[in-house]
Amino acid sequence: MEMKASQKIKYGNEELLGKGNLSVINEIFSPNYIVHAGGKDYQGHKFIKEFTKMLRSAVSNIEVVNIEILLQAGETIAWRRTLTGKHVANMMGALPSGQILEWRDMVISRFEDGMITEEWNVSELAGEMLSKKPHN
């Protein structure tokens, strides 16, 4: 039985971010995947793998606290996720604080043939990392 788009979003977050299971990328994301984030575009399965590894090494014990589907119109879904984890390594210039982070991402996902093909992502992660002072 094929998953609905909203189920695929929840499954993908739990497997990728929560468990680090990179093998689900081919099930969820189109080979032509592109994400628009922070004024830049990132493409392909290789980017998803690299970003997931980087995030999970900098933030340990990531928990997907909540996935909220805000709006669905045809093949496009607007949704918000809340994540937590402990900041244990340098990421994007933010020194590890050793503190628990909690951040939200707003995402719009466009599906094509049952796969996520394009996303727009706005994240609070960088601000949350920079707001925590590293322990000396």
Side-chain angles (χ1 to χ4, degrees), residues 10-21:
K10 291 176 183 180
Y11 172 74
N13 275 274
E14 285 294 337
E15 291 296 317
L16 271 175
L17 301 180
K19 297 177 185 174
N21 180 4

Side-chain angles (χ1 to χ4, degrees), residues 75-77 108-112 115-120:
E75 295 291 309
T76 303
I77 298 178
I108 298 171
S109 300
R110 185 175 64 78
F111 285 75
E112 226 172 72
M115 308 286 273
I116 299 174
T117 301
E118 187 171 20
E119 291 186 306
W120 294 261

Side-chain angles (χ1 to χ4, degrees), residues 2-17 24-36 42-48 52 67 69 72 74-79 81 106-121:
E2 179 131 354
M3 279 188 262
K4 290 196 262 182
S6 60
Q7 292 171 315
K8 206 167 254 193
I9 288 169
K10 291 176 183 180
Y11 172 74
N13 275 274
E14 285 294 337
E15 291 296 317
L16 271 175
L17 301 180
V24 301
I25 291 171
N26 292 332
E27 297 173 43
I28 298 168
F29 298 94
S30 161
N32 301 320
Y33 174 78
I34 184 168
V35 61
H36 313 283
Y42 305 94
Q43 295 183 317
H45 289 183
K46 183 179 178 187
F47 167 75
I48 298 167
T52 301
I67 301 283
I69 305 297
Q72 183 165 358
E75 295 291 309
T76 303
I77 298 178
W79 55 281
R81 67 181 164 210
M106 291 289 299
V107 185
I108 298 171
S109 300
R110 185 175 64 78
F111 285 75
E112 226 172 72
D113 299 323
M115 308 286 273
I116 299 174
T117 301
E118 187 171 20
E119 291 186 306
W120 294 261
N121 186 331

